[in-house]
Amino acid sequence: MVNMIIDGKEVSVDPGMTVLQACEQIGIEIPRFCYHERLSVAGNCRMCLVQMEKSPKPIASCAMPVGEGMTIHTNTPEVEAMRKSVMEFLLLNHPLDCPICDQGGECDLQDQSIAYGIDHSRYQERKRSVTDKHMGPLISTTMTRCIHCTRCVRFATEIAGVPDLGLLGRGENAEITTYLEKALNSELSGNVIDLCPVGALTSKPYAFIARPWELKSIETIDVMDAIGSNIRVDVRGAEVLRVLPILNEDINEEWISDKTRFACDALSYQRLDRPYIRKNGRLKEATWNEAFNTIAATLKKVNGPDIAALAGDLADCESMIALKMLIQNLGSENIDCRQDCARLDPTVRSSYLFNSALAGIDQTDAILLIGCNPRWEAAVLNARIRKRYLESGIPIGVIGEKSDLNYEIMHLGDDVNVLHDILAKKGRFSKILRSASRPMIIIGQGALARGDGHAILGLTRKITELYKIVDNNRGWNGFNMLHTAASRVGGLDLGFVPGPNCRDTEAILDGASQGSIKLVYLLGADEINMERLGNAFVIYQGHHGDTGANRADVILPGAAYTEKNATYVNTEGRVQRAYQAVFPPGEAKEDWRIIRALSEIIGKKLEFDSLAQVRAALVEANPNFLNVGTMSPAAWNKFGIDGEITDMTLSSHIKNFYMTDPISRASITMANCSKAFANNHFEKITNNG
Amino acid sequence: MNDDSKQEPANFEFTREFLKTAQSHIKKYPKNRQSSAVMPLLDLAQRQNGGWIPKPAINYVANLLGMPSIRVLEVATFYTMYNLEPIGQFHVQVCTNLPCWLRGSNDVLNSCKKCLGIETGETTDDNLFTLSEVECLGACVNAPMMQINDNYYEDLTSETTENILFNLREGADVKTGSQIGRNSCEPINGLTSLQHMKSNLIVEDG
């Protein structure tokens, strides 16, 4: 420990800390613009100057490491004068356009000028102006406001791994630019908006929409991928206006992907705001009673075993447990939450979890990616892998399509035989896995959502055991399933899977097309091949008019993730709660309530009337639902089979990062992104059903 | 950096000779630190391309050193010695900082303008001369001075300046360094100190 004196107080801090961090530790706030905990130190804004005894000049506290016996002053008149001078220089060329600036009210420069600004300008010269730069469909630029802190440059280079931003020129002519005016091609680009301490980089879709003091903020979680990023939803009246990240070191640190941040405009488009019934081939508006009665009349004509239900990627646990119980009451166990037909094994929990936890990436020393593209499937997780890569240069092997993941990879091929080779202790990555002390496998749904998924799962398990990737003695489990659907782990945990000898997704779709399944209840399931539903009577419960609603015979309008108090389980198996930020539009209702109401009308009343009772049912189905916010470790067991693998190519199942679910497909912003980044060989999302 | 696509070459590549020099620069740095050679390489590119660095050269240097193009462009735009726009055969850089100004740099600059018929920042129609006003070049002791390509011209007056430019235009030999015959940066009137050691000093013939 290093002993030093800050403002007369003796403190001892870790060596390697900076003076600024030492001050923070004892509660002294140092003003800053360029310094950011998660970025490298630049030391160029000079706002954090403090006095150090025996130093003739003030020091930049963000860049100065602590030293034994240092004496620091942060509250002297000299420091105050220095900060005022720095602020005066920063404001020389900064326009006085706060009234028309989107950053107004949440601007670091504005806030700190309250404390250190002077009330007049001594600057007689012409202020400089800078041409705005094109940074794609998400980031709006007003570069005259830029104070050259270079946070955005450092974020793009270090975190996002797309070194396209730079500070060109020098002195008064310095400008932040993207290389050759290229849009910032990163799935995390929106984070530069949060990082920008002034109004130079602001959100394009949110431009001139609202002021921060008009907004109500609700802290909840995201469902655009299976990471469960912690977010803050800002609403005004009945409308969600923006989504911002909140800090969770275990999950998203303080980043969110562009889909999480910008798809929220879709919460106002293509909404199912009232029930619909198909009459003479066309969907007609209806009342709840009419919709329920139509369903009740149809159910009378259908036998229990001819009923099936599928849960989609955004379904919450409460609605899934309610639907599961309803279908069981109707005498069927043809239910599945794996609409992509992924061959996940619901009986062994550790087989479908990201067992090492996302934070486990910070400790691993070798990663093998199988059939997944983390950049598109979980952009925040990819940033974590990149962080680990930059820290220690760990080897990262990829079995699947070759793509740019923003870190160096060893592309081992897209062939299943590579897995066989590794199991036979052959090949270069075999050596790496053998010598690694905390190796990790990340397997994506692309490897499982296929006919021979069971066999690939079995093969991967054998590799996991052979190389001690799971080691109970050391408490390390590096077998990691990467999901892309926010609902998947929750669905598997609560058992939204076919009962013994009952139909899974594949069999349900086969049955429906052959006519043996006569009624299919889609709980927000849109990513199936609707043609395979044949002549079945289709009930679609969901919030967006997507393929499912298009095919439905009855539409029950549900609530999107910002409109309900709901439970989701992320890919790690971490139970998290989403909180209601706004009310569902029009006639739409919270999903479990719809199912509860329907159950009464069809005479199969479910035994719960409140959210607490539904959650009690969840806990009954799986006690893990008690552990909100934490991960419950899962025991290792046998899973997968020794089957024949028929298709030898492995690839990710996401082809377009910006359009993966009913919400992002309805988003205009996401459509613009798809267009802007079309050079990424994005294709239409493929249906696996 | 203005777009002047008319004169911008589509491609850039070092000639064999330049590539050899470039590689000797790259070799000076340890493995994975090759990007340290960015500045000499940019200089080489500028020399090969007639005094300025086109965009393809930025990309070329970036590829050669395995670094992002924007990082190379940052370096190239930071230093004023790299020219990112086409430039005349002779780059006349007149220092107008305080010591030179006190010693008559206004006359030197005006002579340049008059003699070349251009303002600062401009290039003559025959593409021979580009005139720039620059900050201190570190030869204050022989002020006023100017730099043309790799050479310094010191102790200038209007006449000597015009003479130099005239001779350059004609392709005649031009005396570099001090124009009044002083050796290096010695005092004009001979040694003022260490005179007792004069006999020991090795004096080069100017």
Side-chain angles (χ1 to χ4, degrees), chain A residues 153 157 163-170 177 179-180, chain B residues 55 58-59 68-71 73-74 77-80:
Chain A
V153 176
T157 311
D164 292 333
L165 279 180
L167 181 75
L168 300 192
R170 66 194 297 183
T177 312
Y179 191 63
L180 305 179
Chain B
K55 273 180 208 151
I58 301 268
N59 291 332
S69 298
I70 187 82
R71 295 284 94 79
L73 191 59
E74 280 180 330
T77 54
F78 184 85
Y79 293 100
T80 54

Side-chain angles (χ1 to χ4, degrees), chain A residues 488-500:
Chain A
R488 197 70 83 245
V489 175
L492 294 168
D493 271 359
L494 63 85
F496 201 93
V497 288

Side-chain angles (χ1 to χ4, degrees), chain B residues 3 20 22 40 60 84 87 126 139 173 188-189 196 205:
Chain B
D3 277 308
K20 224 174 126 189
Y60 176 75
L84 301 176
I87 200 162
D126 55 7
D173 280 348
I188 293 178
N189 304 319
H196 60 286
D205 287 325

Side-chain angles (χ1 to χ4, degrees), chain A residues 31-215:
Chain A
R32 87 288 300 267
F33 294 109
C34 71
Y35 175 78
H36 191 276
E37 300 92 73
R38 283 172 217 281
L39 303 174
S40 63
V41 171
N44 54 10
C45 77
R46 315 311 288 176
M47 196 61 198
C48 66
L49 293 179
V50 295
Q51 269 184 311
M52 180 171 78
E53 276 183 18
K54 294 185 192 139
S55 162
K57 292 197 290 181
I59 56 160
S61 60
C62 71
M64 174 67 83
V66 290
E68 184 66 37
M70 255 185 189
T71 309
I72 302 288
H73 299 286
T74 70
N75 54 4
T76 57
E78 287 84 0
V79 171
E80 175 94 4
M82 286 187 278
R83 289 177 184 167
K84 282 190 165 157
S85 305
V86 170
M87 178 60 81
E88 192 177 1
F89 274 112
L90 286 174
L91 291 176
L92 281 188
N93 279 315
H94 191 81
L96 262 177
D97 63 351
C98 301
I100 55 152
C101 175
D102 252 341
Q103 193 85 350
E106 49 187 5
C107 172
D108 286 357
L109 189 64
Q110 202 178 34
D111 292 350
Q112 291 182 34
S113 69
I114 303 289
Y116 301 108
I118 48 174
D119 58 357
H120 63 282
S121 174
R122 293 185 284 168
Y123 192 60
Q124 303 291 323
E125 288 75 11
R126 196 175 268 270
K127 287 196 178 211
R128 77 172 200 150
S129 64
V130 182
T131 43
D132 292 340
K133 305 295 182 290
H134 170 69
M135 288 200 194
L138 300 175
I139 302 164
S140 162
T141 67
T142 312
M143 297 318 282
T144 303
R145 296 178 188 144
C146 177
I147 58 166
H148 309 129
C149 69
T150 69
R151 274 186 188 179
C152 53
V153 176
R154 284 174 283 147
F155 176 84
T157 311
E158 293 162 16
I159 310 284
V162 283
D164 292 333
L165 279 180
L167 181 75
L168 300 192
R170 66 194 297 183
E172 198 177 31
N173 299 317
E175 291 184 20
I176 301 281
T177 312
T178 54
Y179 191 63
L180 305 179
E181 291 275 292
K182 221 162 77 176
L184 195 55
N185 188 356
S186 162
E187 294 71 29
L188 295 165
S189 68
N191 292 298
V192 300
I193 297 166
D194 295 339
L195 287 173
C196 185
V198 296
L201 306 179
T202 51
S203 167
K204 205 174 244 181
Y206 176 72
F208 310 124
I209 299 286
R211 284 299 192 187
W213 53 85
E214 301 173 292
L215 301 172

